[in-house]
Amino acid sequence: MTLTATTSVQAPAEPPHSALGDREWLLDCHCAGPVVDLLRHQGWTVSSDPYANVHCSSPDQRVYVGFLPEAEEARRGELWHIHVKGTDGKVAWSQTFGSGVPAQAVAGFLAALIAFPNRCCACV
């Protein structure tokens, strides 16, 4: 199989040192706030249980996001749980993130998922 670029690609110019050198990378936020804020603004249902776990469901009920600090899975290193169901109602795929992953990074993952509502990639 041969892949051919359809547009020319140029390497970006070297960014000024201050663009990356002085940057504060995502390291600290381990609460549910950034994810909950994003999902609420997208019309998702957000609820919490008596154990401080947060559960979020997409408007079509096909995506579940759980922030589960008090669940058994968290003791194994799985703080965030994301499950995506197919049209048949079965989980098509899932992703977990550990407690070391900042909430902003999880929110970025979900923002990308929300931004591409089509089932298939253009390459298929």
Side-chain angles (χ1 to χ4, degrees):
M1 179 161 115
T2 304
L3 297 177
T4 306
T6 56
T7 58
S8 61
V9 178
Q10 290 183 331
E14 186 68 27
H17 176 69
S18 63
L20 296 176
D22 296 335
R23 183 181 173 104
E24 292 187 31
W25 295 98
L26 300 175
L27 297 174
D28 297 340
C29 183
H30 304 293
C31 70
V35 171
V36 168
D37 291 344
L38 168 74
L39 298 180
R40 274 199 178 124
H41 283 94
Q42 296 294 321
W44 289 45
T45 301
V46 178
S47 62
S48 58
D49 62 29
Y51 306 105
N53 297 308
V54 178
H55 308 276
C56 308
S57 295
S58 62
D60 65 0
Q61 301 297 302
R62 289 186 48 203
V63 182
Y64 166 80
V65 176
F67 174 75
L68 309 173
E70 298 302 322
E72 179 65 33
E73 293 89 342
R75 289 186 211 110
R76 295 191 309 258
E78 300 173 355
L79 181 62
W80 292 96
H81 288 251
I82 300 167
H83 303 283
V84 179
K85 294 179 184 176
T87 55
D88 61 1
K90 295 179 182 176
V91 174
W93 62 271
S94 62
Q95 177 65 49
T96 61
F97 293 98
S99 60
V101 178
Q104 296 97 325
V106 177
F109 177 86
L110 291 166
L113 178 66
I114 292 166
F116 293 95
N118 296 327
R119 179 178 175 192
C120 295
C121 178
C123 68
V124 176

